[in-house]
């Protein structure tokens, strides 16, 4: 980082400070020369403005010039009075009023020499900043510590954001406008961009869920190079942490393999559970992610549970990724909503056809197989939805649907034909819709009035149709037991 005091100390320049002695720690990002009376539209934050004062004619001329510098956040003004009989008092007063440090350039000194020396100093500062960041990274500094160093070097706060909208870490609070920045990053397909006064850079690495670096300022080219170096260091740190996490998750692989097979004995599960290091009385949720490639599923689960206060074990089985989540302290009531929102944000960058999640539980070890089965059925229910991202909790699925989902496809088809065969055949021959009529009637709790309203027919028409269906099926559709059998058969087509 290059500050004003560094420039004052550069040999051979002999710059003289006229006002702003308490502002010499200001960071300088680049040098810009101008002779415009009002240069505001061309200035940017952190610039050292170089001027021969050709624009100054009389007292009062300094006010708009210096005010424009202050609005733009310029670092300082370096002025030569060679063509104005010295530095006007009007300019000194305006700089003091707007808190703009004023450096007087010796009359005999060429602006080209100043520009060359300042550019070299800025380049040396950038190189020093990169070395300091690299030193912090090799010292295994935490991500927040590394971002703190970067914020000092860049003169702006820094955050690491996940494409799911999660704030991974930051140099300060509060966080930036995360949703807007992530939306911009996703729309730019991960390319560097800027929005809302921030600079966004991708963090490298082969990850299904990308991270981005957000810097709370519009960076100059030199500062951008430092930020790019920072993004590379964060990518390395992420890869290192991923490897450590994978090693820790390996203890769960035997347990996840047994749960995924669905045929493990109680003793086998107990042994694998004990080997995982989970407490014997732990209450768990089983969350299953189904995406094209289990690697993406593992990353998605890792992102979703990154801030979970208890232990989370993640593993893969074929194309599926599983998370075993300790939930002794409760489970968010809006988990499906928040998970859907996070996954919908990142889904355009996954290149996946669909992202499906299902959860089962809570359960302790004795009910863990059932929780895993529930999660699988929840994913099947998610697949039957139309959304590209679908998240279904086991609690959302009625018991009758879980029981049907557990039956083989051939058995469900055979039961449907056995119970509904005559009705299906009649609809096909007569081009009628008795099957739908019966389903609506049963879903209206057997109420002719409600069913007629839902189907937009007269109640007498509804009663006739239900009577005809009862004859064809040889059942009494007002009898609860027979209603249940017919309704399950109606649901058996998935």
């Amino acid at each position: 980082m290059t500050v004003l005091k560094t420039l004052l100390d550069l040999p051979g320049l002999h710059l003289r400070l006229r006002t702003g002695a308490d502002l010499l720690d200001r960071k300088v990002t680049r040098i810009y020369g101008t002779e415009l009376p009002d240069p505001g539209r061309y200035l940017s934050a952190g610039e050292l403005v170089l001027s021969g004062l050709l624009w100054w004619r009389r007292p009062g001329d300094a006010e708009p010039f210096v005010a424009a510098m202050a609005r733009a956040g310029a670092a300082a003004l370096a002025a030569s009075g060679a063509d104005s009989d010295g530095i006007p008092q009007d300019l000194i007063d305006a700089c003091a009023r707007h808190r703009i440090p004023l450096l007087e350039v010796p009359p005999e000194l060429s602006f080209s020499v100043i520009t060359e020396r300042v550019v070299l100093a800025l380049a040396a500062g950038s190189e020093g900043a990169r070395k300091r960041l690299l030193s912090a990274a090799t010292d295994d500094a935490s991500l927040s510590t590394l971002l703190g160093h970067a914020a000092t070097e860049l003169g702006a706060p820094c955050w690491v954001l996940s494409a799911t909208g999660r704030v991974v870490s930051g140099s300060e609070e509060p966080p930036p406008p995360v949703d807007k920045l992530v939306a911009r990053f996703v729309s730019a397909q991960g390319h560097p961009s800027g929005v809302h006064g921030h600079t966004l850079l991708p963090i490298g690495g082969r990850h299904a869920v990308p991270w981005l670096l957000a810097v709370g300022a519009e960076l100059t080219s030199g500062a951008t190079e430092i930020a790019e170096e920072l993004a590379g260091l964060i990518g390395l740190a992420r890869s290192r942490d991923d490897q450590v996490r994978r090693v820790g998750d390996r203890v769960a692989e035997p347990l996840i393999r047994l749960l995924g097979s669905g045929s493990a004995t109680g003793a086998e599960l107990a042994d694998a559970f004990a080997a995982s290091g989970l407490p014997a009385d732990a209450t768990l949720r089983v969350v299953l992610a189904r995406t094209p490639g289990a690697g993406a599923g593992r990353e998605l689960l890792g992102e979703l549970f990154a801030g979970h206060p208890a232990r989370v074990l993640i593993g893969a089985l074929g194309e599926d990724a599983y998370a075993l989540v300790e939930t002794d302290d409760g489970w968010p009531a809006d988990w499906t909503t928040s998970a859907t929102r996070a996954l919908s944000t990142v889904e355009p960058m996954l290149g996946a056809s669909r992202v499906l999640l299902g959860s089962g539980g809570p359960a302790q070890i004795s009910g863990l197989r059932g929780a895993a089965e529930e999660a699988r059925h929840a994913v099947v229910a998610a697949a039957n939805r139309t959304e590209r991202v679908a998240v279904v909790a086991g609690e959302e699925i009625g018991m009758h649907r879980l029981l049907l989902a557990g039956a083989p496809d051939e058995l469900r088809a055979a039961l449907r034909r056995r119970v509904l065969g005559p009705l299906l055949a009649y609809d096909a021959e007569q081009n009628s819709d008795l099957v739908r009529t019966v389903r609506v009637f049963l879903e209206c709790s057997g109420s002719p009035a409600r069913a007629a309203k839902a189907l937009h027919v007269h109640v007498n028409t509804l009663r006739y149709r239900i009577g005809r269906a009862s004859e064809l099926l040889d059942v009494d559709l007002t009898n609860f037991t027979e209603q249940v059998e017919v309704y399950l058969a109606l649901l058996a087509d998935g």
Side-chain angles (χ1 to χ4, degrees), residues 178-199:
V178 178
D179 292 345
K180 293 179 180 178
L181 296 183
V182 169
R184 171 63 177 169
F185 184 75
V186 171
S187 67
Q189 290 296 305
H191 295 295
S193 60
V195 63
H196 300 291
H198 291 74
T199 301

Side-chain angles (χ1 to χ4, degrees), residues 54-326:
L54 300 180
W55 48 267
W56 194 87
R57 292 288 182 269
R58 61 188 64 85
D61 287 351
E63 176 62 25
F65 186 93
V66 178
M69 289 184 58
R71 286 194 300 271
L77 171 63
S80 171
D83 297 315
S84 56
D85 296 326
I87 302 296
Q89 186 64 41
D90 172 47
L91 180 61
I92 298 173
D93 293 342
C95 287
R97 189 163 54 250
H98 289 284
R99 294 184 60 77
I100 294 293
L102 175 59
L103 313 181
E104 183 176 358
V105 178
E108 70 278 3
L109 189 63
S110 165
F111 277 8
S112 62
V113 172
I114 297 176
T115 301
E116 179 184 355
R117 297 285 179 85
V118 170
V119 168
L120 289 174
L122 292 176
S126 296
E127 184 62 29
R130 285 195 288 268
K131 289 180 178 179
R132 286 188 290 273
L133 288 177
L134 181 59
S135 175
T138 53
D139 288 342
D140 289 335
S142 67
L143 191 53
S144 60
T145 300
L146 183 59
L147 292 175
H149 284 298
T152 300
E153 301 294 349
L154 296 172
C158 303
W159 298 270
V160 174
L161 310 177
S162 164
T164 61
R166 179 173 68 93
V167 179
V168 180
S169 187
S171 64
E172 67 175 44
E173 295 285 349
V178 178
D179 292 345
K180 293 179 180 178
L181 296 183
V182 169
R184 171 63 177 169
F185 184 75
V186 171
S187 67
Q189 290 296 305
H191 295 295
S193 60
V195 63
H196 300 291
H198 291 74
T199 301
L200 309 178
L201 296 101
I203 292 173
R206 301 180 63 181
H207 295 91
V209 183
W211 283 4
L212 62 142
L213 172 63
V215 182
E218 297 179 6
L219 300 181
T220 63
S221 57
T224 299
E225 291 180 2
I226 297 174
E228 289 173 345
E229 186 84 16
L230 172 63
L233 294 174
I234 294 170
L236 293 174
R238 184 185 184 187
S239 297
R240 180 187 62 211
D241 291 346
D242 285 346
Q243 292 176 357
V244 172
R245 193 175 300 110
R246 288 284 182 92
V247 171
D249 285 341
R250 284 178 187 169
V251 297
E253 290 178 357
L255 179 58
I256 288 174
R257 189 163 52 248
L258 290 173
L259 291 174
S261 70
S263 59
T265 66
E268 290 173 329
L269 277 176
D271 290 343
F273 192 94
S276 71
L278 290 165
D281 59 348
T283 300
L284 302 176
R285 295 267 180 169
V286 179
V287 181
L288 169 59
R290 183 164 292 169
T291 61
R298 290 182 69 138
E299 270 197 42
L300 289 174
L301 292 175
E303 282 289 334
L304 290 177
F305 294 108
H308 188 71
R311 193 172 179 192
V312 179
L313 296 175
I314 298 174
L317 185 65
E319 291 291 298
D320 293 339
Y322 285 84
L324 304 180
V325 186
E326 275 195 87

Side-chain angles (χ1 to χ4, degrees), residues 327-419:
T327 58
D328 293 343
D329 295 330
W331 182 258
D334 65 342
W335 183 80
T336 56
T337 301
S338 60
T340 301
R341 182 171 57 249
L343 296 177
S344 296
T345 301
V346 75
E347 181 270 333
M349 303 189 74
L350 288 176
S353 55
R354 295 191 71 192
V355 178
L356 309 175
L357 253 72
S359 68
Q364 293 187 321
I365 182 172
S366 59
L368 205 53
R369 279 181 296 185
E373 192 69 21
E374 187 179 6
R376 284 191 288 273
H377 294 328
V379 164
V380 172
N384 288 330
R385 297 185 177 180
T386 58
E387 301 93 337
R388 287 180 59 82
V389 174
V391 182
V392 175
E395 297 98 319
E396 299 177 38
I397 307 172
M399 183 179 293
H400 58 287
R401 291 187 179 274
L402 286 174
L403 293 173
L404 282 171
D409 292 345
E410 298 80 1
L411 177 58
R412 283 188 283 125
L415 291 174
R416 179 176 169 83
R417 287 193 302 270
R418 178 175 65 78
V419 175

